[in-house]
Amino acid sequence: MNNLSAKENSATSENNSSSFIEAKNLLEYMWEQRCYFHSHPELGLKEFETCNRIEQELKALGLSPYRVGQTNVIAEIDSGRPGKTLFLRADIDALPVQEANNVPYKSQNPGIMHACGHDGHAAYLLGTAKLLLSHKADFFGKVILCFQAAEEIGKGARQIIEAGVLDKVDRTFGIHFQAGMEVGKIGVKTGADMASCDRIKIKIHGKAAHITRPQDGVDSVFIASLIVAKLHTVVSRVISPVEGAILGIGSIHSGTTYNIIAGEAEIEGTIRTFSADSWKKLAEKVEKIAKNTAEEFGGRAEVEIEDICDPCTNPKETAEEVVESAKKITAPENVITDLEKRFGSDNFADYSRKAPGTYVHVGSSDNEKNNWPHHNEHFDLAKESLAYAAALALQYSLDYLNKSL
């Protein structure tokens, strides 16, 4: 008996829940959808064919999907009975990665790959739509299905919020497949789960001159180097080690050839924190260091800090709700609540501005394969992980919408 079979037996016999069995019966359908999305990946805000496929599947179920912006797809399943509204989100965009896997569903779009599992997110939510429709008589209120564009570039979520989709939502729920976590395991962390994300862009304006006459120029490469070195000391001096934060620099671009003092330079990086207070401290330091350093050596710095997404934090109440549902579709010991917080980000967090919710990690690795990290050219999903995701989404939907009724 393999590990998956053991988990299935535990989930079905100990918990007496049909959700996993129902989801497993849809596994071939979900896998077919996942393979299509994987072989036809599209970058953020360009997910046109992906959306066409999603809409085609939703319409075949009798639903009436609509777009927010050009590539966010929304659909509603209304029980016809008054109750609460639950928002289920799946992100659908791919990454600029050249796939190295040799699989039948390999990416057909050169230089683009689903290297983070968003193909599986779209597929499991389509399966969940089928399951919820079969249970339409078993819950109150409404479920909103959200297929969100452009998570990888920090877009999509705020388009959906601004369009008013969450104005009357009571709960939000999102799943992300987790590399390195075994199939059958589900991670739900109370409190800070993932960090906020801000993009830093610093433009340094100096003065070009011949490399042999530094007195005639203002060296933007030198200024940029000093700024980067100073920024790398900031976190350890102003942020508590217990709180934790990252101020990282990813790129420096400057100069045209070896014998010219560069007149312009550009630095790009990121701030990752778990609190507004830490973010404020770091943002202020970035601006002060950049501007003062440039001015000290005769240059000028422009600083832009783009707010991409909030920290992802699960309230105690909503996390406990999901934990109880998870224990119905997998063995209780497979529900992990002591996850370490991480500096990765996801703009699912922005939905919390409108309604409380929970971000859940569903294991997608097995002992033999599919253990490559996210954003790697070999990343893949274990097929059975789709069944656990759909079963959890179904179970939580039924549990929450029928709560206190």
Side-chain angles (χ1 to χ4, degrees):
M1 179 180 291
N2 62 31
N3 289 335
L4 178 63
S5 297
K7 290 188 183 69
E8 287 172 10
N9 288 341
S10 176
T12 56
S13 63
E14 292 184 13
N15 294 306
N16 297 316
S17 171
S18 65
S19 295
F20 182 79
I21 297 172
E22 292 179 52
K24 193 153 187 290
N25 288 338
L26 282 180
L27 184 55
E28 293 305 321
Y29 168 79
M30 291 187 287
W31 185 247
E32 177 187 354
Q33 301 307 317
R34 186 265 169 164
C35 290
Y36 173 84
F37 294 132
H38 191 90
S39 61
H40 298 84
E42 296 173 294
L43 297 176
L45 302 180
K46 299 179 181 178
E47 307 97 333
F48 300 108
E49 292 306 315
T50 302
C51 287
N52 288 342
R53 175 71 170 228
I54 290 168
E55 288 174 331
Q56 173 186 321
E57 294 300 316
L58 294 173
K59 288 176 181 177
L61 297 177
L63 297 175
S64 301
Y66 63 93
R67 299 274 181 107
V68 171
Q70 293 185 304
T71 54
N72 298 287
V73 178
I74 307 294
E76 297 183 0
I77 300 176
D78 195 330
S79 70
R81 294 177 296 281
K84 298 173 182 176
T85 298
L86 174 63
F87 177 88
L88 305 181
R89 175 269 209 166
D91 39 3
I92 63 174
D93 55 321
L95 287 157
V97 173
Q98 179 62 46
E99 182 163 13
N101 293 319
N102 185 19
V103 291
Y105 47 87
K106 182 175 181 177
S107 171
Q108 297 178 18
N109 297 336
I112 306 176
M113 178 191 174
H114 272 293
C116 200
H118 296 188
D119 49 347
H121 298 172
Y124 99 75
L125 194 55
L126 286 174
T128 301
K130 280 180 172 266
L131 294 170
L132 285 169
L133 284 167
S134 72
H135 283 275
K136 195 172 177 181
D138 300 329
F139 65 87
F140 294 80
K142 180 194 302 184
V143 177
I144 298 177
L145 308 172
C146 170
F147 297 84
Q148 181 203 308
E151 184 278 329
E152 296 289 0
I153 58 173
K155 308 293 182 184
R158 292 181 186 175
Q159 289 180 328
I160 292 164
I161 293 168
E162 289 166 5
V165 176
L166 280 90
D167 285 355
K168 296 183 179 180
V169 165
D170 298 289
R171 282 286 190 277
T172 61
F173 177 86
I175 282 175
H176 202 296
F177 288 115
Q178 184 59 53
M181 182 183 286
E182 189 179 0
V183 171
K185 294 185 182 296
I186 296 169
V188 185
K189 179 173 172 52
T190 298
D193 187 354
M194 293 193 297
S196 63
C197 179
D198 291 78
R199 181 183 288 117
I200 303 166
K201 183 177 289 186
I202 303 171
K203 291 184 178 180
I204 300 158
H205 304 283
K207 181 182 177 183
H210 196 282
I211 201 79
T212 63
R213 293 186 60 83
Q215 71 274 20
D216 293 339
V218 175
D219 192 341
S220 66
V221 170
F222 174 65
I223 293 171
S225 300
L226 288 175
I227 291 172
V228 171
K230 290 179 180 179
L231 292 180
H232 279 161
T233 70
V234 170
V235 170
S236 65
R237 298 301 91 197
V238 302
I239 304 298
S240 163
V242 176
E243 165 74 11
I246 285 176
L247 201 173
I249 302 302
S251 70
I252 303 177
H253 296 279
S254 186
T256 56
T257 189
Y258 79 102
N259 62 353
I260 298 175
I261 291 173
E264 305 287 329
E266 186 168 288
I267 302 167
E268 288 191 288
T270 185
I271 295 173
R272 305 290 175 106
T273 73
F274 296 100
S275 72
D277 181 62
S278 292
W279 173 85
K280 186 173 185 292
K281 289 177 181 177
L282 293 182
E284 288 175 350
K285 282 291 186 182
V286 167
E287 186 155 7
K288 185 175 181 179
I289 286 171
K291 290 185 175 180
N292 288 354
T293 304
E295 184 178 348
E296 181 182 359
F297 292 95
R300 179 173 60 88
E302 296 178 20
V303 180
E304 177 186 343
I305 301 178
E306 179 188 357
D307 170 19
I308 292 178
C309 70
D310 293 345
C312 191
T313 301
N314 293 329
K316 185 174 185 291
E317 180 183 1
T318 70
E320 288 178 347
E321 291 171 352
V322 176
V323 165
E324 291 307 307
S325 296
K327 288 178 179 178
K328 296 177 182 178
I329 61 100
T330 191
E333 61 268 25
N334 288 334
V335 181
I336 304 167
T337 58
D338 60 349
L339 298 172
E340 292 184 359
K341 62 185 181 183
R342 61 200 72 195
F343 283 101
S345 299
D346 192 309
N347 63 5
F348 172 83
D350 289 343
Y351 297 123
S352 296
R353 296 181 179 187
K354 301 294 292 186
T358 310
Y359 187 86
V360 186
H361 306 271
V362 171
S364 61
S365 298
D366 55 42
N367 293 327
E368 299 175 358
K369 59 181 181 177
N370 304 323
N371 287 314
W372 294 93
H374 296 281
H375 294 209
N376 182 279
E377 65 272 17
H378 291 284
F379 178 86
D380 206 346
L381 296 173
K383 181 177 179 180
E384 293 81 3
S385 61
L386 296 169
Y388 283 96
L392 179 58
L394 170 64
Q395 188 66 56
Y396 180 62
S397 296
L398 297 176
D399 290 345
Y400 174 70
L401 292 173
N402 291 326
K403 185 179 178 182
S404 301
L405 291 173

